[in-house]
């Protein structure tokens, strides 16, 4: 199959591209720059110049393909301008869907497990809601699922909020490491028993491929390896690696310490992968989060 991938040079997307190529697919990767295009060409993919804001480039890329994986999101600006990033995401999904309408070709979009339910395990049957932490991005998942009525074989992959690699930058965990380094201690909120799901990016990439190849219309899958790692354990692992103390801070202190993410860091947001494993036979195989931090 010829697959169009947005976010093709990103932290997860670059591994999705490799996973697809290794499985024998041809890949067209969305490239915002000449450097991105060169990196895609170097590994055997075809570069397609454009961006999430260039809807014509998205429609033309999708039209050239037998299926689409939409893994891109503006993570550079989502903390300061979340609503605008979500609107860009919705516009991109709508453009991709319009190009695939009536074809029954697969479209895999990305949402996330965060914010769907607080304090309880999120399952694949739980729908995204306009909650404090999911916010306006929940509309992206709803929009994508509505494309099923237009003849698109759409499915959703929800990665855990912590995506990491062996000895590599981990997104949120990298931010926590930098905070601990600059402040001289690694912090968690309250008793630190609030749980965060995590997944290795290679496991996540495999799930995207399986969803593309096998998912039925309207399916939702969780790219979750660890259902919920206590934030205290994450903070302690960071403290060990940096040789700094680990401390509890209050919820009131969290915003000052963690910035805009303070309230979210304190949330209990575990997520299950049981239905994903059952439907696709996907099973996480790579190093767990705490071991990855210890090794980094």
């Amino acid at each position: 199959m010829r697959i169009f991938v947005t976010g093709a040079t990103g932290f997860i997307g670059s591994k999705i591209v490799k996973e697809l190529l290794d499985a024998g697919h041809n890949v067209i990767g969305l490239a915002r720059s000449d450097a991105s295009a060169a990196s895609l060409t170097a590994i055997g993919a075809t570069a397609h110049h454009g961006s999430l804001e260039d809807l014509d480039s998205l429609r033309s890329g999708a039209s050239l393909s037998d299926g689409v994986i939409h893994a891109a999101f503006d993570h550079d600006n989502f903390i300061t301008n979340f609503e605008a990033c979500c609107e860009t995401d919705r516009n991109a999904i709508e453009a991709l869907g319009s190009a695939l309408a009536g074809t029954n070709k697969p479209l895999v979009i990305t949402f996330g497990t965060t914010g769907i339910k607080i304090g309880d395990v999120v399952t694949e049957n739980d729908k995204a809601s306009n909650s404090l932490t999911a916010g306006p991005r929940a509309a992206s998942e709803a929009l994508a699922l509505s494309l099923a009525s237009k003849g698109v074989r759409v499915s959703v992959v929800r990665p855990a909020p912590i995506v990491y690699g062996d000895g590599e930058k981990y997104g949120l965990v990298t931010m926590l490491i930098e905070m601990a380094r600059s402040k001289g201690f690694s912090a968690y909120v309250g008793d630190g028993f609030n749980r965060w799901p995590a997944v290795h990016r290679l496991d996540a990439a495999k799930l995207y491929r399986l969803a593309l190849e096998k998912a039925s219309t309207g399916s939702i899958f969780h790219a979750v390896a660890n259902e919920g790692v206590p934030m205290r354990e994450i903070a302690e692992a960071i403290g060990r690696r940096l040789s700094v103390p680990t401390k509890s801070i209050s919820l009131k202190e969290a915003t000052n310490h963690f910035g805009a993410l303070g309230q979210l860091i304190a949330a209990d947001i575990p997520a299950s992968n049981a239905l994903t494993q059952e439907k696709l036979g996907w099973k996480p195989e790579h190093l767990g989060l705490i071991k990855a931090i210890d090794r980094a």
Side-chain angles (χ1 to χ4, degrees):
M1 296 171 66
R2 195 177 195 194
I3 311 303
F4 180 47
V5 179
T6 72
T9 57
F11 187 64
I12 301 178
S14 59
K15 296 304 181 184
I16 294 173
V17 170
K18 186 176 186 307
E19 175 75 24
L20 292 170
L21 291 171
D22 289 348
H25 296 290
N26 296 317
V27 177
I28 307 169
L30 184 67
R32 292 184 297 174
S33 66
D34 290 341
S36 294
S39 68
L40 287 168
T41 303
I43 62 172
T46 300
H48 181 80
H49 287 274
S51 68
L52 290 184
E53 294 80 12
D54 183 354
L55 301 184
D56 285 339
S57 72
L58 298 181
R59 282 188 284 263
S60 62
S63 297
L64 292 169
S65 73
D66 300 308
V68 176
I69 293 178
H70 175 47
F73 189 77
D74 186 1
H75 290 99
D76 294 334
N77 299 303
F78 86 101
I79 293 178
T80 57
N81 204 358
F82 188 51
E83 290 193 8
C85 293
C86 292
E87 182 178 3
T88 297
D89 189 49
R90 291 193 299 275
N91 290 339
I93 291 170
E94 189 170 33
L96 294 168
S98 67
L100 298 179
T103 65
N104 198 39
K105 292 179 180 179
L107 167 62
V108 183
I109 73 107
T110 303
F111 180 57
T113 64
T114 306
I116 295 173
K117 284 194 302 190
I118 305 296
D120 196 5
V121 178
V122 179
T123 76
E124 296 88 336
N125 289 330
D126 292 315
K127 301 299 182 184
S129 62
N130 192 26
S131 66
L132 173 65
T133 48
R137 197 176 180 190
S140 291
E141 182 173 283
L143 171 62
L145 292 173
S146 74
L147 296 174
S149 65
K150 299 182 179 180
V152 180
R153 183 158 61 85
V154 64
S155 62
V156 178
V157 170
R158 295 172 173 170
I162 297 177
V163 182
Y164 60 93
D166 293 343
E168 300 161 324
K169 292 183 178 181
Y170 306 155
L172 174 70
V173 176
T174 296
M175 295 172 62
L176 298 180
I177 290 170
E178 294 305 320
M179 289 175 188
R181 181 178 285 118
S182 65
K183 296 178 183 294
F185 68 96
S186 181
Y188 57 89
V189 180
D191 60 18
F193 293 152
N194 59 302
R195 300 155 294 175
W196 274 55
V199 67
H200 195 288
R201 64 173 178 161
L202 295 179
D203 286 323
K206 182 176 181 180
L207 179 56
Y208 275 93
R209 176 180 63 80
L210 292 174
L212 177 90
E213 294 172 345
K214 300 181 178 182
S216 58
T217 303
S219 297
I220 296 175
F221 305 106
H222 283 181
V224 170
N226 304 112
E227 181 176 289
V229 184
M231 285 301 294
R232 181 170 183 162
E233 292 185 16
I234 296 172
E236 289 171 344
I238 292 171
R240 285 195 299 272
R241 295 304 297 144
L242 297 181
S243 297
V244 299
T246 303
K247 297 181 182 180
S248 169
I249 61 175
S250 68
L251 184 59
K252 186 175 181 179
E253 294 171 310
T255 300
N256 182 56
H257 186 89
F258 295 113
L261 293 175
Q263 298 298 307
L264 182 58
I265 293 294
D268 186 39
I269 50 174
S272 171
N273 67 13
L275 293 177
T276 298
Q277 292 200 53
E278 178 184 327
K279 291 181 179 179
L280 292 182
W282 174 77
K283 186 176 181 179
E285 299 173 344
H286 292 274
L287 203 63
L289 174 63
I290 300 302
K291 289 183 178 180
I293 297 174
D294 283 335
R295 180 181 290 186

